[in-house]
């Protein structure tokens, strides 16, 4: 979840500096429409199309977005693994629970930009995203579409464009990377879920 | 009564014969004084004052590589000020920094902002990509050595399927080595370029890092600080913009400026304070303007001569030399005071006769003082040598002024004053050891007190007893070091070898020993050239390790996903120190590379997060077990050196006492001990008092006792030479009082080494003052 390109962005990315700007009207509208649940659970399908790969890389699993805590991204197919993303930390685990990666923004402050962006994307935290992206969009009775372009050239070296679609919930996110890889994430079966179990909570540590 | 005075009328019949050489000497001295005056004007306009506190310390007996290491580490620091502006919100900091810059620009302070030129992230990535299979962190090497291929494949598959990870990047680095290695290297400094300068995050704030280079000298002649107030004004301006702004300012120029401002204040207090006291005493004793004017002139000329001599010998003058030299006023007045005291006592004797009679005693006093000061210069401390030359020159100048000019310029003997009469008369009533019933009880009590104090005396050769900086500056420095994660430059390893590769291999052996010490309880980390350029042997091993693991992982992923991705190619050529030095990324650690000198290659390994002293013995031990690795602890080295010179100077002090006693024996024979013993006893008593006060015994105390030998013996000499003469006693009292005041003022200095000097002499001179008359010869039976 962090490679050299992301590192390169993180090296120069500071905390978002545009917080003072007013949030665009469309973002305020979408936020009003989005359900605000303390814990939101659902299922995802992620499809990465990569130049040089014959087949798209597809994975499926469940997610849980916990307000102010973080996002738990549990891949079940084809390989079980867990990714826990909070504002200042990313922890990746294998199926047996062993940690494969742990990135802490405390140790490397520049990583905070990466963890915050990933967290904001996966949890549809539009206020957080507005700090780093220029947001345009439109909406009708059925739903809304937002187009995000990075404000910071350093971030643009990693993400070229992000497209979000949804109604009461975020339904799909398309990430276009600078490397021309594209990732399409579809979310479904949204439900206000029970609070995190102790085992789930432990994934963040 | 002294012999020459009795024979005065005989000499008076041939005054013309005596006057000619005197006049010639006076004119010759006038010529010297004029040269000094011209030199003084030029010196003060040129402002060649040295303020570097470390200049007081000896040029340690280091070898070439260590000297170069020290120079390279200090390079650029001499003139650099680093400012951190911090607030929780980076946007606030940006606004504050703008106000800060505007204020500094409008200020006249000669501070130039240095453009930050850290390598950008893309350059680091390019470097890693070029030698990607030859750069491993210790953790990665462990993982590749011990994890089975299947586990590495599983981890790669999981990563490919996680959000945020680019699959394209994965194809170029299947083991994900790059970002980890880059993270490890990035951890070596926490400051990051963010387009508009360097930033660092920490302690609940975003900090902008501003770097300045100073334009002029840190010291201005008026003693007014320039950089401190300019930064303060800029801070005030920035705080009007952002009230919760925090500022940390550090840098050698600020330390130098603080020392200079303080020293300038001390020079004025001590110099003018003791000059005022001397003149007041002269006025009280002699009640005439001439003695005051002449004594004042001898002091001014003496000080100027000392300063000119020092500047001529050393090229520049250290600020602390001036502070120490200010106390010279209290010593150099002796000659003039002695003359006028004698003149007041015997107004009928012609001036030149009187001076001729006083000359042997004055010359002997001068030579013991000058010898004592020059003994200071035996220690190879540039600062001390300057103080020695300054004081010896100053004393000689004051002496020559008194001897050559006073008899010619002094027209009228000073009036008798009640003050002088009371002091002169007090000698007759002063208790005398000889024949006193309680003498052995008093002597025994003093000896007991001294012995008990000496038992408590502890040596303290710590560098901090030698110099000190204001606490806020030191604390800001520590905070900045923590925020920026800067490695310590006071303790480090020097690694040497016959070739660049041998040095890198030795570094790797050292790092293998250091790795277990890295952790929450120990070191935060280390910085070494071999982090960037592993030895060729290590590169070969790592490349083979990576080739094997990558082949397994790529095959495993291809099989699982039905792909036919090729393993990315290995690096084309091995990484050499030359290639690294030619790359912009070497700016991060290039100063650790000392290169080749006299057939030996050297590098430095610096340590991060070395806060306590508990780890130091282990770190030193680590070096002793490895060939070509040396542990350098500069403050400990300096302490050892100071301790060694303390020992040597103590021996010299004892030898000095013997030499002085021999000189006294040559003149006074069986009465010699009366001139010597007061000083010897006072020295022991002073050391005892230091023990009682809990002051550590350091080199400065021993050197002060050397001075005490030079000055204290003078009082004994005057009292034995002019036995029972009330005017000699008056001179001793006035002289001792002003010396005591001058060094007493020095004891208040906030520079620890000067405080030690002052305190030692303050106690010592008071003791000599009391003991000298106590041990004076018994009254002669009138014929």
């Amino acid at each position: 979840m962090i490679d050299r390109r992301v590192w390169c962005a993180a090296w120069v990315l500071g905390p978002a500096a545009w917080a003072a700007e007013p949030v665009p009207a469309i973002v305020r509208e979408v936020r009003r429409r989005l359900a605000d649940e303390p814990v939101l659970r659902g299922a995802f399908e992620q499809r990465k199309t990569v130049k040089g790969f014959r087949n798209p890389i597809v994975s499926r699993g469940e997610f849980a977005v916990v307000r102010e805590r973080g996002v738990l991204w549990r891949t079940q197919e084809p390989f079980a693994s867990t990714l826990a993303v909070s504002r200042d930390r990313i922890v990746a685990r294998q199926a047996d629970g062993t940690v494969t990666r742990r990135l802490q923004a405390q140790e490397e402050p520049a990583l905070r930009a990466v963890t915050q962006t990933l967290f904001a994307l996966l949890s549809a935290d539009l206020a957080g995203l507005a700090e780093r992206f220029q947001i345009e969009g439109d909406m009708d009775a059925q739903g809304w579409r937002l187009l995000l372009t990075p404000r910071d050239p350093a971030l643009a070296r990693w993400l070229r464009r992000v497209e979000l679609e949804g109604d009461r919930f975020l339904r799909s996110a398309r990430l276009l990377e600078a490397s021309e890889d594209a990732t399409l994430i579809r979310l479904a079966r949204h439900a206000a879920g029970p609070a995190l179990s102790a085992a789930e909570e432990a994934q963040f540590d | 009564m002294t012999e020459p005075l009795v024979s005065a009328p005989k000499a008076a019949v041939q005054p013309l014969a005596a006057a000619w050489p005197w006049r010639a000497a006076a004119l010759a001295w006038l010529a010297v004084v004029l040269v000094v005056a011209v030199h003084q004007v030029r010196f003060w306009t040129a402002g060649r004052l040295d303020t570097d506190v470390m200049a007081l310390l000896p040029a340690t007996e280091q070898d070439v590589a260590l000297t170069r290491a020290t120079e390279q580490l200090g390079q650029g620091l001499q003139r650099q000020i680093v400012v951190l502006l911090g607030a929780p919100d980076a946007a606030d900091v940006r606004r504050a920094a703008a106000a800060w810059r505007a204020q500094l620009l409008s200020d006249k302070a000669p501070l130039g902002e240095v453009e930050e030129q850290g390598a950008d992230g893309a350059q680091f990535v390019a470097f890693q990509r070029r030698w990607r299979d030859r750069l491993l962190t210790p953790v990665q090497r462990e993982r590749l050595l011990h994890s089975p291929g299947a586990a590495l494949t599983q981890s790669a598959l999981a990563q490919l399927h996680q959000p945020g990870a680019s699959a394209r990047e994965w194809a170029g680095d299947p083991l994900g080595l790059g970002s980890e290695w880059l993270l490890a290297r990035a951890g070596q400094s926490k400051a990051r370029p963010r387009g508009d300068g360097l930033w660092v995050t920490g302690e609940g704030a975003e900090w902008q890092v501003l770097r300045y280079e100073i334009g002029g000298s840190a010291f201005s002649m008026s003693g007014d600080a320039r950089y401190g107030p300019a930064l303060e004004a800029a801070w005030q301006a920035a705080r009007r913009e952002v009230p919760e702004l925090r500022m940390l300012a550090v840098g050698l120029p600020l330390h130098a400026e603080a020392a200079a401002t303080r020293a300038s204040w001390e020079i004025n207090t001590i110099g003018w304070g003791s000059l005022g006291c001397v003149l007041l005493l002269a006025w009280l004793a002699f009640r005439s303007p001439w003695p005051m004017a002449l004594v004042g002139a001898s002091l001014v000329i003496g000080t100027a001569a000392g300063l000119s001599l020092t500047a001529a010998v050393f090229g520049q003058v250290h600020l602390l030399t001036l502070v120490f030299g200010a106390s010279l006023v209290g010593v150099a007045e002796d000659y003039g005071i002695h003359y006028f005291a004698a003149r007041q006592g015997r107004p009928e004797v012609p001036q030149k006769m009187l001076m001729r009679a006083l000359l042997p005693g004055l010359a002997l006093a001068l030579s013991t003082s000058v010898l004592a000061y020059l003994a200071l210069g035996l220690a190879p401390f540039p600062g001390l040598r300057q103080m020695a030359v300054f004081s010896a020159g100053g004393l000689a100048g004051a002496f020559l002024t008194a001897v050559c000019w006073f008899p010619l310029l002094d027209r009228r003997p000073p009036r008798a004053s009640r003050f002088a009469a009371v002091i002169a008369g007090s000698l007759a009533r002063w208790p005398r050891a000889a024949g006193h019933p309680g003498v052995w009880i008093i002597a025994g009590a003093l000896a007991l007190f001294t012995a008990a104090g000496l038992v408590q005396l502890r040596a303290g050769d710590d560098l901090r007893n030698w110099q000190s900086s204001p606490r806020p500056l030191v604390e800001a420095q520590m905070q900045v070091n923590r925020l920026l994660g800067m490695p310590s430059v006071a303790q480090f390893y020097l690694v040497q070898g016959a070739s660049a590769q041998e040095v890198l291999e030795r570094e790797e052996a050292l790092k293998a020993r250091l790795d277990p010490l890295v952790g929450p309880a120990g070191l935060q980390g280390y910085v070494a050239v071999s982090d960037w350029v592993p030895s060729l042997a290590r590169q070969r091993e790592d490349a083979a390790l990576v080739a094997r693991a990558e082949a397994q992982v790529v095959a495993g992923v291809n099989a699982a996903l039905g792909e036919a991705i090729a393993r990315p190619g290995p690096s084309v050529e091995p990484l050499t120190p030359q290639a690294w030095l030619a790359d912009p990324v070497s700016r991060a650690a290039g100063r650790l590379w000392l290169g080749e000198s006299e057939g030996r290659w050297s590098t430095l390994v610096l340590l991060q997060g070395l806060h306590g002293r508990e780890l130091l013995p282990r770190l030193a031990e680590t070096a002793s077990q490895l060939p070509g690795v040396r542990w350098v602890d500069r403050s400990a080295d300096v302490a050892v050196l100071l301790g060694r010179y303390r020992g040597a100077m103590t021996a010299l002090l004892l030898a000095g006492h013997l030499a002085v006693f021999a000189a006294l024996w040559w003149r006074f024979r069986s009465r010699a001990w009366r001139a010597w013993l007061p000083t010897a006893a006072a020295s022991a008593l002073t050391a005892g008092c230091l023990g009682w006060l809990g002051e550590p015994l350091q080199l400065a105390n021993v050197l002060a006792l050397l001075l005490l030998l030079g000055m204290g013996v003078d009082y004994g000499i005057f009292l034995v030479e002019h036995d029972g003469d009330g005017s000699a006693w008056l001179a001793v009292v006035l002289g001792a009082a002003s010396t005591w005041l001058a060094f007493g003022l020095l004891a208040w200095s906030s520079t620890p080494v000067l405080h030690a000097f002052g305190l030692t002499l303050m106690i010592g001179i008071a003791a000599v003052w009391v003991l000298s008359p106590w041990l004076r010869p018994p009254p002669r039976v009138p014929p």
Side-chain angles (χ1 to χ4, degrees), chain A residues 4 14-15 46 48 54-55 108 177 179 181, chain B residues 128 160-162 165-166 168 192 194 563-564:
Chain A
R4 286 180 296 203
Q46 177 189 261
K48 286 191 192 178
R54 292 179 196 148
N55 313 310
E108 180 46 68
E177 292 185 32
S179 64
D181 288 5
Chain B
Q128 193 276 334
L160 265 175
H161 286 86
Q162 273 162 358
S166 157
R168 180 81 160 256
R192 296 285 176 273
R194 276 185 206 161
E563 298 288 338

PDB file of all heavy atoms in Angstrom, chain A residues 4 14-15 46 48 54-55 108 177 179 181, chain B residues 128 160-162 165-166 168 192 194 563-564:
ATOM      1  N   ARG A   4       7.350   3.065  -3.883  1.00  0.00           N
ATOM      2  CA  ARG A   4       8.283   4.179  -4.045  1.00  0.00           C
ATOM      3  C   ARG A   4       7.590   5.458  -4.505  1.00  0.00           C
ATOM      4  O   ARG A   4       7.941   6.543  -4.103  1.00  0.00           O
ATOM      5  CB  ARG A   4       9.370   3.785  -5.041  1.00  0.00           C
ATOM      6  CG  ARG A   4      10.350   2.812  -4.443  1.00  0.00           C
ATOM      7  CD  ARG A   4      11.403   2.437  -5.436  1.00  0.00           C
ATOM      8  NE  ARG A   4      10.834   1.718  -6.568  1.00  0.00           N
ATOM      9  CZ  ARG A   4      11.545   0.895  -7.353  1.00  0.00           C
ATOM     10  NH1 ARG A   4      12.822   0.707  -7.104  1.00  0.00           N
ATOM     11  NH2 ARG A   4      10.995   0.284  -8.350  1.00  0.00           N
ATOM     12  N   GLY A  14       3.105  17.914   2.847  1.00  0.00           N
ATOM     13  CA  GLY A  14       2.931  18.320   4.240  1.00  0.00           C
ATOM     14  C   GLY A  14       1.494  18.101   4.629  1.00  0.00           C
ATOM     15  O   GLY A  14       0.736  17.478   3.893  1.00  0.00           O
ATOM     16  N   PRO A  15       1.108  18.607   5.776  1.00  0.00           N
ATOM     17  CA  PRO A  15      -0.305  18.590   6.115  1.00  0.00           C
ATOM     18  C   PRO A  15      -1.036  19.497   5.131  1.00  0.00           C
ATOM     19  O   PRO A  15      -0.456  20.420   4.580  1.00  0.00           O
ATOM     20  CB  PRO A  15      -0.343  19.162   7.524  1.00  0.00           C
ATOM     21  CG  PRO A  15       0.941  19.867   7.689  1.00  0.00           C
ATOM     22  CD  PRO A  15       1.931  19.258   6.777  1.00  0.00           C
ATOM     23  N   GLN A  46     -12.913  -4.914  -5.706  1.00  0.00           N
ATOM     24  CA  GLN A  46     -11.878  -4.010  -6.218  1.00  0.00           C
ATOM     25  C   GLN A  46     -11.280  -4.608  -7.473  1.00  0.00           C
ATOM     26  O   GLN A  46     -10.981  -5.788  -7.524  1.00  0.00           O
ATOM     27  CB  GLN A  46     -10.791  -3.806  -5.168  1.00  0.00           C
ATOM     28  CG  GLN A  46      -9.655  -2.930  -5.658  1.00  0.00           C
ATOM     29  CD  GLN A  46      -8.488  -2.909  -4.688  1.00  0.00           C
ATOM     30  OE1 GLN A  46      -8.325  -2.003  -3.909  1.00  0.00           O
ATOM     31  NE2 GLN A  46      -7.696  -3.972  -4.739  1.00  0.00           N
ATOM     32  N   LYS A  48      -8.317  -3.869 -10.307  1.00  0.00           N
ATOM     33  CA  LYS A  48      -7.189  -3.044 -10.762  1.00  0.00           C
ATOM     34  C   LYS A  48      -6.836  -3.445 -12.175  1.00  0.00           C
ATOM     35  O   LYS A  48      -6.658  -4.634 -12.441  1.00  0.00           O
ATOM     36  CB  LYS A  48      -5.957  -3.285  -9.889  1.00  0.00           C
ATOM     37  CG  LYS A  48      -5.995  -2.693  -8.512  1.00  0.00           C
ATOM     38  CD  LYS A  48      -4.608  -2.779  -7.889  1.00  0.00           C
ATOM     39  CE  LYS A  48      -4.676  -2.455  -6.414  1.00  0.00           C
ATOM     40  NZ  LYS A  48      -3.360  -2.581  -5.770  1.00  0.00           N
ATOM     41  N   ARG A  54      -1.970  -9.277 -17.916  1.00  0.00           N
ATOM     42  CA  ARG A  54      -3.000  -9.743 -18.847  1.00  0.00           C
ATOM     43  C   ARG A  54      -4.388  -9.535 -18.253  1.00  0.00           C
ATOM     44  O   ARG A  54      -5.312  -9.095 -18.922  1.00  0.00           O
ATOM     45  CB  ARG A  54      -2.825 -11.234 -19.118  1.00  0.00           C
ATOM     46  CG  ARG A  54      -1.570 -11.546 -19.909  1.00  0.00           C
ATOM     47  CD  ARG A  54      -1.493 -13.051 -20.086  1.00  0.00           C
ATOM     48  NE  ARG A  54      -0.174 -13.457 -20.480  1.00  0.00           N
ATOM     49  CZ  ARG A  54       0.373 -14.616 -20.143  1.00  0.00           C
ATOM     50  NH1 ARG A  54      -0.291 -15.485 -19.398  1.00  0.00           N
ATOM     51  NH2 ARG A  54       1.578 -14.915 -20.530  1.00  0.00           N
ATOM     52  N   ASN A  55      -4.509  -9.883 -16.997  1.00  0.00           N
ATOM     53  CA  ASN A  55      -5.827  -9.865 -16.359  1.00  0.00           C
ATOM     54  C   ASN A  55      -5.899  -8.767 -15.328  1.00  0.00           C
ATOM     55  O   ASN A  55      -4.892  -8.426 -14.704  1.00  0.00           O
ATOM     56  CB  ASN A  55      -6.094 -11.191 -15.648  1.00  0.00           C
ATOM     57  CG  ASN A  55      -5.749 -12.365 -16.532  1.00  0.00           C
ATOM     58  OD1 ASN A  55      -6.177 -12.424 -17.689  1.00  0.00           O
ATOM     59  ND2 ASN A  55      -4.940 -13.274 -16.011  1.00  0.00           N
ATOM     60  N   GLU A 108       7.332   8.651  10.839  1.00  0.00           N
ATOM     61  CA  GLU A 108       7.658   9.354   9.605  1.00  0.00           C
ATOM     62  C   GLU A 108       6.518  10.331   9.325  1.00  0.00           C
ATOM     63  O   GLU A 108       5.525   9.969   8.690  1.00  0.00           O
ATOM     64  CB  GLU A 108       7.830   8.350   8.468  1.00  0.00           C
ATOM     65  CG  GLU A 108       8.170   8.987   7.151  1.00  0.00           C
ATOM     66  CD  GLU A 108       9.260  10.034   7.262  1.00  0.00           C
ATOM     67  OE1 GLU A 108      10.420   9.678   7.537  1.00  0.00           O
ATOM     68  OE2 GLU A 108       8.944  11.224   7.084  1.00  0.00           O
ATOM     69  N   GLU A 177      -4.172   6.367 -11.383  1.00  0.00           N
ATOM     70  CA  GLU A 177      -2.850   6.697 -10.880  1.00  0.00           C
ATOM     71  C   GLU A 177      -2.020   7.335 -11.968  1.00  0.00           C
ATOM     72  O   GLU A 177      -2.306   7.184 -13.155  1.00  0.00           O
ATOM     73  CB  GLU A 177      -2.159   5.434 -10.363  1.00  0.00           C
ATOM     74  CG  GLU A 177      -2.838   4.890  -9.124  1.00  0.00           C
ATOM     75  CD  GLU A 177      -2.092   3.712  -8.537  1.00  0.00           C
ATOM     76  OE1 GLU A 177      -0.856   3.675  -8.653  1.00  0.00           O
ATOM     77  OE2 GLU A 177      -2.753   2.832  -7.977  1.00  0.00           O
ATOM     78  N   SER A 179       0.702   6.397 -12.892  1.00  0.00           N
ATOM     79  CA  SER A 179       1.337   5.335 -13.668  1.00  0.00           C
ATOM     80  C   SER A 179       0.378   4.720 -14.692  1.00  0.00           C
ATOM     81  O   SER A 179       0.719   3.756 -15.344  1.00  0.00           O
ATOM     82  CB  SER A 179       1.814   4.246 -12.724  1.00  0.00           C
ATOM     83  OG  SER A 179       0.682   3.666 -12.086  1.00  0.00           O
ATOM     84  N   ASP A 181      -2.167   3.036 -14.056  1.00  0.00           N
ATOM     85  CA  ASP A 181      -2.953   1.970 -13.445  1.00  0.00           C
ATOM     86  C   ASP A 181      -4.303   2.582 -13.069  1.00  0.00           C
ATOM     87  O   ASP A 181      -4.374   3.762 -12.709  1.00  0.00           O
ATOM     88  CB  ASP A 181      -2.306   1.469 -12.142  1.00  0.00           C
ATOM     89  CG  ASP A 181      -1.060   0.657 -12.406  1.00  0.00           C
ATOM     90  OD1 ASP A 181      -0.646   0.570 -13.574  1.00  0.00           O
ATOM     91  OD2 ASP A 181      -0.506   0.124 -11.435  1.00  0.00           O
TER      92      ASP A 181
ATOM     93  N   GLN B 128      17.816   4.948  -5.589  1.00  0.00           N
ATOM     94  CA  GLN B 128      17.465   3.609  -5.118  1.00  0.00           C
ATOM     95  C   GLN B 128      17.171   2.685  -6.301  1.00  0.00           C
ATOM     96  O   GLN B 128      17.581   1.532  -6.321  1.00  0.00           O
ATOM     97  CB  GLN B 128      16.253   3.693  -4.182  1.00  0.00           C
ATOM     98  CG  GLN B 128      15.979   2.417  -3.395  1.00  0.00           C
ATOM     99  CD  GLN B 128      15.176   1.421  -4.207  1.00  0.00           C
ATOM    100  OE1 GLN B 128      14.426   1.791  -5.106  1.00  0.00           O
ATOM    101  NE2 GLN B 128      15.357   0.143  -3.900  1.00  0.00           N
ATOM    102  N   LEU B 160      -0.592  -6.750  -3.549  1.00  0.00           N
ATOM    103  CA  LEU B 160      -1.130  -6.415  -4.871  1.00  0.00           C
ATOM    104  C   LEU B 160      -2.632  -6.193  -4.818  1.00  0.00           C
ATOM    105  O   LEU B 160      -3.176  -5.426  -5.598  1.00  0.00           O
ATOM    106  CB  LEU B 160      -0.840  -7.572  -5.829  1.00  0.00           C
ATOM    107  CG  LEU B 160       0.419  -7.457  -6.670  1.00  0.00           C
ATOM    108  CD1 LEU B 160       0.623  -8.729  -7.476  1.00  0.00           C
ATOM    109  CD2 LEU B 160       0.304  -6.255  -7.603  1.00  0.00           C
ATOM    110  N   HIS B 161      -3.283  -6.895  -3.913  1.00  0.00           N
ATOM    111  CA  HIS B 161      -4.734  -6.810  -3.870  1.00  0.00           C
ATOM    112  C   HIS B 161      -5.244  -5.740  -2.918  1.00  0.00           C
ATOM    113  O   HIS B 161      -6.439  -5.536  -2.818  1.00  0.00           O
ATOM    114  CB  HIS B 161      -5.323  -8.190  -3.473  1.00  0.00           C
ATOM    115  CG  HIS B 161      -5.240  -9.176  -4.583  1.00  0.00           C
ATOM    116  ND1 HIS B 161      -4.113  -9.955  -4.806  1.00  0.00           N
ATOM    117  CD2 HIS B 161      -6.106  -9.502  -5.574  1.00  0.00           C
ATOM    118  CE1 HIS B 161      -4.304 -10.713  -5.852  1.00  0.00           C
ATOM    119  NE2 HIS B 161      -5.514 -10.469  -6.353  1.00  0.00           N
ATOM    120  N   GLN B 162      -4.353  -5.104  -2.222  1.00  0.00           N
ATOM    121  CA  GLN B 162      -4.818  -4.073  -1.286  1.00  0.00           C
ATOM    122  C   GLN B 162      -4.995  -2.747  -2.009  1.00  0.00           C
ATOM    123  O   GLN B 162      -4.319  -2.479  -3.005  1.00  0.00           O
ATOM    124  CB  GLN B 162      -3.827  -3.925  -0.127  1.00  0.00           C
ATOM    125  CG  GLN B 162      -4.136  -4.893   0.994  1.00  0.00           C
ATOM    126  CD  GLN B 162      -2.968  -5.083   1.924  1.00  0.00           C
ATOM    127  OE1 GLN B 162      -1.910  -4.531   1.729  1.00  0.00           O
ATOM    128  NE2 GLN B 162      -3.175  -5.886   2.942  1.00  0.00           N
ATOM    129  N   ALA B 165      -2.058   0.388  -3.476  1.00  0.00           N
ATOM    130  CA  ALA B 165      -0.757  -0.061  -3.946  1.00  0.00           C
ATOM    131  C   ALA B 165      -0.783  -0.167  -5.461  1.00  0.00           C
ATOM    132  O   ALA B 165      -1.681  -0.763  -6.037  1.00  0.00           O
ATOM    133  CB  ALA B 165      -0.416  -1.407  -3.329  1.00  0.00           C
ATOM    134  N   SER B 166       0.238   0.430  -6.091  1.00  0.00           N
ATOM    135  CA  SER B 166       0.290   0.387  -7.542  1.00  0.00           C
ATOM    136  C   SER B 166       0.887  -0.935  -7.998  1.00  0.00           C
ATOM    137  O   SER B 166       1.984  -1.309  -7.592  1.00  0.00           O
ATOM    138  CB  SER B 166       1.134   1.552  -8.045  1.00  0.00           C
ATOM    139  OG  SER B 166       1.625   1.260  -9.320  1.00  0.00           O
ATOM    140  N   ARG B 168       1.837  -1.594 -10.968  1.00  0.00           N
ATOM    141  CA  ARG B 168       2.933  -1.277 -11.879  1.00  0.00           C
ATOM    142  C   ARG B 168       4.232  -1.116 -11.083  1.00  0.00           C
ATOM    143  O   ARG B 168       5.290  -1.619 -11.474  1.00  0.00           O
ATOM    144  CB  ARG B 168       2.543   0.011 -12.571  1.00  0.00           C
ATOM    145  CG  ARG B 168       3.504   0.526 -13.526  1.00  0.00           C
ATOM    146  CD  ARG B 168       3.430  -0.139 -14.876  1.00  0.00           C
ATOM    147  NE  ARG B 168       4.068   0.807 -15.769  1.00  0.00           N
ATOM    148  CZ  ARG B 168       3.407   1.575 -16.582  1.00  0.00           C
ATOM    149  NH1 ARG B 168       2.117   1.433 -16.700  1.00  0.00           N
ATOM    150  NH2 ARG B 168       4.030   2.462 -17.327  1.00  0.00           N
ATOM    151  N   ARG B 192      11.750  18.027   5.958  1.00  0.00           N
ATOM    152  CA  ARG B 192      11.343  17.654   4.597  1.00  0.00           C
ATOM    153  C   ARG B 192      11.076  18.898   3.778  1.00  0.00           C
ATOM    154  O   ARG B 192      10.451  19.843   4.255  1.00  0.00           O
ATOM    155  CB  ARG B 192      10.042  16.846   4.654  1.00  0.00           C
ATOM    156  CG  ARG B 192      10.149  15.523   5.355  1.00  0.00           C
ATOM    157  CD  ARG B 192      10.855  14.501   4.482  1.00  0.00           C
ATOM    158  NE  ARG B 192      11.028  13.254   5.216  1.00  0.00           N
ATOM    159  CZ  ARG B 192      12.060  12.993   5.999  1.00  0.00           C
ATOM    160  NH1 ARG B 192      13.022  13.882   6.136  1.00  0.00           N
ATOM    161  NH2 ARG B 192      12.154  11.856   6.637  1.00  0.00           N
ATOM    162  N   ARG B 194       9.006  21.035   1.292  1.00  0.00           N
ATOM    163  CA  ARG B 194       7.595  21.008   0.894  1.00  0.00           C
ATOM    164  C   ARG B 194       7.297  22.085  -0.126  1.00  0.00           C
ATOM    165  O   ARG B 194       6.286  22.748  -0.047  1.00  0.00           O
ATOM    166  CB  ARG B 194       6.708  21.265   2.112  1.00  0.00           C
ATOM    167  CG  ARG B 194       6.435  20.024   2.922  1.00  0.00           C
ATOM    168  CD  ARG B 194       5.456  20.373   4.014  1.00  0.00           C
ATOM    169  NE  ARG B 194       5.621  19.477   5.138  1.00  0.00           N
ATOM    170  CZ  ARG B 194       5.171  19.759   6.347  1.00  0.00           C
ATOM    171  NH1 ARG B 194       4.555  20.907   6.579  1.00  0.00           N
ATOM    172  NH2 ARG B 194       5.347  18.905   7.330  1.00  0.00           N
ATOM    173  N   GLU B 563      -0.175 -14.805 -14.860  1.00  0.00           N
ATOM    174  CA  GLU B 563       0.522 -13.754 -15.587  1.00  0.00           C
ATOM    175  C   GLU B 563       1.867 -14.261 -16.095  1.00  0.00           C
ATOM    176  O   GLU B 563       2.278 -15.377 -15.773  1.00  0.00           O
ATOM    177  CB  GLU B 563       0.747 -12.550 -14.668  1.00  0.00           C
ATOM    178  CG  GLU B 563      -0.514 -11.903 -14.173  1.00  0.00           C
ATOM    179  CD  GLU B 563      -1.240 -11.125 -15.265  1.00  0.00           C
ATOM    180  OE1 GLU B 563      -0.602 -10.738 -16.265  1.00  0.00           O
ATOM    181  OE2 GLU B 563      -2.468 -10.918 -15.133  1.00  0.00           O
ATOM    182  N   ALA B 564       2.535 -13.428 -16.866  1.00  0.00           N
ATOM    183  CA  ALA B 564       3.883 -13.782 -17.330  1.00  0.00           C
ATOM    184  C   ALA B 564       4.782 -12.565 -17.153  1.00  0.00           C
ATOM    185  O   ALA B 564       5.389 -12.066 -18.095  1.00  0.00           O
ATOM    186  CB  ALA B 564       3.843 -14.225 -18.779  1.00  0.00           C
TER     187      ALA B 564
END
